[in-house]
Amino acid sequence: MERNRLIDELFGMDGVLAQTTPGYLPRPGQIQMAKEVASVIARREVLLAEGPCGIGKSFAYLVPACLTALFSDQTITYNNAGTSPRTMSDYARDDGPERADGAVVIATANIALQEQLVKKDLPFLALLKGRSNYLCQRQYAAEKARRDEYVDHRKMSDDQREQYKLVMDWAAKTEMGDKSELPVEPYAVWNWFTSTSDECQGEDCPFQGTCFAQSARAFAKRADVVVTNYHLLFPQALYLGLNVRGKNGPLGFLPPIRTLICDEAHEAAGIARQFSGLDLGLGSFYSLAKHATKIKAHGIGSGIRFEADRLYDAIAAYANGPGRGEPYLRQAGQFDVGELLGLCRKLDDLAEQTVLGRGELAAPARVVQRLAGKRIAELEAFDSFDERGNTIYYFEKRGSDGAEQYKIRSCDIDVSEFLRANLWSQVPTTVLTSATLAVGAVLDDRRAELGLASPRTHDLIVPSPGVPPELPWL
């Protein structure tokens, strides 16, 4: 086959990798895995592959992925980190079509591996991160206005003051808006400069045309190979769906997916559980109350704060009660959320009426409507808990030194159907790989955990390369 021949040439002693990588030696396991990945992509099936440390898994799936792009009718689109002179804002203004045949999307468990793939292994891939990794132009403009008006508008610690100056100087000249460009992690101030999905104003934002997060999305829609992470992939799969089109193109951040490659797949089920249920803290209701004031619903906002305080005080008393080492919700209706739920519904109704009125408050009302809808759905799920079902609810303590707060958390015990229905069945080809997938030299348990019971799924366990003869045993 043409692909196998190309893989042999690329990975061979005289191939491209040998010519560009000092000290390169062909590894049979790497070549075996690369050929199997290429075969599965060609047949539009699923591969569950364990590749031990040392075989070079990244190149074993990256090379077939890029060959897939080369064999299509489209040409590779290069990002700004490679050879393209274009900035991210250029892509936000570019109204060209996304790839008609879909992209290759590589998902990892963490951003560190994402950046390794893009910057080190193959620096012409599109890197797509969550919104909170990008500078928000609206938040930056607000900080700049406050800084210009007040020399020191906050009582900052030394760390905050240093990081604040660093971010402000960077924000004035960045073309990508990606916080990984900064020399240090601005942990103490970054939340002042970014925007969560709850806070984003979307089409109503005055900076939509230069939004860095939207620019990254626009670029990814045209890329051949996109690298992202599970924390972006799973929410889109759950809330918007994969390969679902709206009237203006694909929904969500990700482009249409032709081939999905999941690295560090041993962590996939655990991360999926984080998105299968609630993560609801007191701050979520305080944020809703704050946004309520923007549509002049001060009374409802105050009521929401009061009822939320009452609910979380009751949760803290229960969780800290005698013998409560593991504070789980035991039954439906255990806590009274009726008043809080009623206020959220009332605010939702008011926001809907305000949006329909098309006045100056319509834009903030749309944000309120979205937030209120989320809180209503979460409270209804919490109040109708079925202790015999697949979902468990528990209370997680955050903070210390007398500032503890509890969050309402829930997760599905078995996420196999979630993964099967929302991911594997929605894309033509899926490759899942990790160094630690097998249990007792078989992949049956991992198949069950990940929802891979389909006959389309193939298994591969690559033998360990062992220790090269020139290296000593440790």
Side-chain angles (χ1 to χ4, degrees), residues 182-205:
L182 291 164
V184 297
E185 171 68 31
Y187 62 89
V189 301
W190 184 246
N191 63 315
W192 302 341
F193 292 92
T194 191
S195 179
T196 66
S197 58
D198 282 351
E199 297 164 340
C200 177
Q201 293 185 353
E203 294 181 357
D204 297 314
C205 180

Side-chain angles (χ1 to χ4, degrees), residues 109-123:
N110 60 73
I111 289 177
L113 180 55
Q114 273 186 268
E115 293 185 340
Q116 174 195 315
L117 291 172
V118 172
K119 296 178 180 179
K120 178 177 179 291
D121 293 338
L122 285 175

Side-chain angles (χ1 to χ4, degrees), residues 1 3-4 7 33-43 47 60 64-65 67-68 431:
M1 293 178 60
R3 286 185 177 85
N4 283 350
I7 288 171
M33 180 173 169
K35 289 181 177 179
E36 191 62 33
V37 171
S39 176
V40 165
I41 291 175
R43 299 196 307 267
L47 176 65
L67 288 178
T68 299
V431 176

Side-chain angles (χ1 to χ4, degrees), residues 343-387:
L343 287 165
C344 290
R345 287 170 175 160
K346 187 175 181 180
L347 181 61
D348 186 43
D349 290 341
L350 177 61
E352 182 180 11
Q353 294 170 15
T354 306
V355 169
L356 293 175
R358 297 180 181 274
E360 62 180 9
L361 298 181
R366 274 190 282 270
V367 177
V368 171
Q369 194 174 18
R370 185 175 72 248
L371 295 181
K374 287 183 178 180
R375 302 295 89 86
I376 290 168
E378 290 161 344
L379 287 172
E380 288 176 343
F382 176 67
D383 198 39
S384 59
F385 162 65
D386 181 3
E387 63 271 21

